[in-house]
Amino acid sequence: MADNSPNIDILIRRLGHPFTDTSLVELALSHRSVGAKNNERLEFLGDSIVNYLMAEALYKQFPDCREGDLSRMRAQLVKGKTLAEIALEFELGDFLRLGPGEMKSGGHRRESILADTVEALIGAMFLDAGMDVCREHVVRWYQSRLESMTIQGTVKDAKTSLQELLQSRKQSLPHYKLLTITGSDHQQQFTVECQIEHLKQGFQGVASTRREAEQIAAQAALELLQQHSQQHSQQHSQQHSQQHSK
């Protein structure tokens, strides 16, 4: 961490949990670019915990909700964008420990790094104080988002929507193929192709993460299939009208 970085105690106060072992916080803030002693294991732990805590919170909040809707709502809450928003609320970027290359490339603002660090901090909190304390603080961080969550307002991601559309038509599921990875380690670009068996063309997506590139490719495929459905419906409607007018 740079010498002019804010004191870690400031962040601990913002998080709301007085850590007994502050070295866990320091480890959670350490990106892999600083070396072998980094936050990847804590991130792995925190990822599982935040998924569990949000599943539990949604299960209690929506007693009549079906499993599929609960899964989609949880996906909205634990996705990288939401975690990065929480990181920004804590001004987490100011406290990150980054290697020189990552620091120069603006890693303290990168959504994926911010999201991973929030997960690492959740893992650190769990190790420091256990699940009950972790639940108390994480649910508080998410409180406004949980309160605004509605079943109707849940938006399916493109990959889920595409899969469900193809399943409803009893067609083969899409296949995602990684075509290229370009750029430096700190600024990679992933090109992914979504392949659908009965269509003769592939649909490409390009983004800074493979997951996002897959979503972009899926969205392109979904839009074409929906366009075909609309055209088919219009043709059917016109034929019906012509037959009715005879």
Side-chain angles (χ1 to χ4, degrees):
M1 188 187 294
D3 293 337
N4 61 352
S5 296
N7 191 302
I8 200 172
D9 292 336
I10 298 171
L11 176 61
I12 290 174
R13 285 196 295 273
R14 290 176 187 170
L15 296 174
H17 169 61
F19 279 80
T20 302
D21 183 0
T22 56
S23 68
L24 284 169
V25 184
E26 293 173 356
L27 184 60
L29 295 169
S30 300
H31 184 255
R32 67 175 179 270
S33 60
V34 301
K37 195 173 181 182
N38 59 58
N39 65 6
E40 287 187 329
R41 283 170 54 83
L42 284 176
E43 176 202 334
F44 166 78
L45 183 60
D47 175 66
S48 297
I49 293 168
V50 72
N51 270 276
Y52 164 70
L53 290 176
M54 290 303 102
E56 181 186 52
L58 290 167
Y59 182 86
K60 292 177 180 177
Q61 186 171 326
F62 298 96
D64 300 319
C65 190
R66 294 182 302 174
E67 183 270 342
D69 291 322
L70 288 171
S71 294
R72 282 191 287 274
M73 285 191 282
R74 181 180 60 179
Q76 291 278 350
L77 292 169
V78 303
K79 66 182 181 180
K81 183 176 177 61
T82 305
L83 288 163
E85 288 171 358
I86 291 172
L88 291 172
E89 290 166 10
F90 290 125
E91 298 180 2
L92 200 55
D94 295 340
F95 300 90
L96 294 178
R97 297 169 180 262
L98 303 169
E102 199 64 67
M103 193 173 291
K104 284 180 183 177
S105 67
H108 62 287
R109 294 189 300 270
R110 189 163 297 127
E111 187 177 283
S112 59
I113 291 178
L114 291 170
D116 291 347
T117 306
V118 171
E119 290 179 336
L121 285 167
I122 291 170
M125 192 181 300
F126 168 76
L127 292 178
D128 191 70
M131 184 60 84
D132 288 343
V133 170
C134 193
R135 177 187 292 107
E136 175 190 346
H137 292 294
V138 173
V139 171
R140 178 174 53 81
W141 299 353
Y142 272 97
Q143 194 62 47
S144 62
R145 292 171 175 85
L146 284 166
E147 288 173 356
S148 64
M149 186 64 67
T150 63
I151 300 172
Q152 294 79 11
T154 303
V155 180
K156 298 179 187 179
D157 64 78
K159 286 182 68 176
T160 302
S161 297
L162 177 60
Q163 179 172 315
E164 290 182 356
L165 177 63
L166 291 171
Q167 284 176 327
S168 71
R169 298 177 177 181
K170 296 183 169 34
Q171 293 171 338
S172 299
L173 295 182
H175 172 68
Y176 297 91
K177 180 180 180 181
L178 179 63
L179 298 181
T180 61
I181 305 174
T182 57
S184 65
D185 290 343
H186 308 298
Q187 293 178 308
Q188 289 184 330
Q189 287 287 314
F190 294 80
T191 302
V192 171
E193 184 172 77
C194 174
Q195 301 170 340
I196 299 174
E197 192 174 294
H198 72 281
L199 296 178
K200 294 180 180 179
Q201 65 185 98
F203 303 87
Q204 290 189 11
V206 182
S208 57
T209 67
R210 179 170 180 169
R211 184 183 300 177
E212 188 179 351
E214 288 177 350
Q215 290 287 356
I216 293 170
Q219 183 63 40
L222 187 62
E223 287 174 359
L224 182 68
L225 287 170
Q226 289 171 338
Q227 185 181 347
H228 285 176
S229 293
Q230 289 173 355
Q231 289 172 347
H232 180 75
S233 296
Q234 288 170 356
Q235 288 171 357
H236 180 76
S237 178
Q238 287 171 355
Q239 288 171 356
H240 180 75
S241 298
Q242 288 169 356
Q243 289 171 356
H244 186 70
S245 63
K246 289 179 180 179

